[in-house]
Amino acid sequence: MVQTLDARTSQGSNGHNILTPSFTNGVPLLFAQVGLQFNNPGAFIRTFFSGVVELTASQLSTNGELVIEVYRDLGSSQHLVYRAGTIVIANEFFSPCVFKFTGSDFNVPPPVNGQLVYSVYATFTFNPLFPVSNIRLGPESFNATVYSEE
């Protein structure tokens, strides 16, 4: 039988204001982090997650690339569990760019301290000859739910 252990949401923005700091070309930006907490989870743990990032392409003179990476744990023990990307088209007709993602992390080893941390980074890469700013519109959010089998 499957048991829900915890569910959390990290919302950086609901989409009503421009977000700061803006992206630095090619530098990962932490935009979400959740700590899922539980006791006696059972032998098999799995996490399902989803999120959204929105940015404007109206200032871009050439296409850019947006990459999302989800890591389990913190610091030097971080482990990449998900990576996805999309091309951001430099055309006001295609702006804003809304990137939604869904993923999972299976057979997660139970953490000793009873907390499973996921950190989400967004990296935006664009032509450095054309500076851009104020492109993070939001919403930016990340949802994670951890399950176990009894």
Side-chain angles (χ1 to χ4, degrees):
M1 179 176 206
V2 175
Q3 177 183 11
T4 302
L5 301 175
D6 197 7
R8 303 285 171 150
T9 297
S10 175
Q11 185 166 13
S13 166
N14 58 9
H16 290 293
N17 297 309
I18 299 286
L19 297 170
T20 56
S22 191
F23 287 104
T24 300
N25 192 10
V27 177
L29 175 71
L30 176 68
F31 81 87
Q33 192 170 60
V34 296
L36 301 156
Q37 301 175 355
F38 47 83
N39 292 316
N40 302 318
F44 300 102
I45 299 174
R46 61 184 177 267
T47 306
F48 294 107
F49 51 83
S50 64
V52 63
V53 175
E54 184 174 333
L55 55 90
T56 179
S58 61
Q59 292 185 22
L60 294 178
S61 55
T62 60
N63 293 349
E65 181 183 26
L66 177 65
V67 173
I68 302 297
E69 293 180 323
V70 179
Y71 289 86
R72 179 184 350 112
D73 294 329
L74 295 170
S76 62
S77 62
Q78 277 191 332
H79 177 74
L80 179 66
V81 296
Y82 181 85
R83 185 175 196 274
T86 188
I87 298 298
V88 179
I89 298 173
N91 184 319
E92 288 187 35
F93 180 75
F94 294 104
S95 187
C97 173
V98 179
F99 185 59
K100 297 178 183 180
F101 60 95
T102 303
S104 57
D105 187 16
F106 280 82
N107 298 325
V108 178
V112 177
N113 66 358
Q115 179 168 288
L116 191 58
V117 177
Y118 287 92
S119 303
V120 188
Y121 296 87
T123 305
F124 186 57
T125 306
F126 51 89
N127 187 332
L129 297 176
F130 304 100
V132 297
S133 62
N134 298 326
I135 57 175
R136 290 176 63 204
L137 294 178
E140 287 182 355
S141 63
F142 178 72
N143 307 291
T145 305
V146 64
Y147 301 92
S148 73
E149 294 185 24
E150 298 179 301

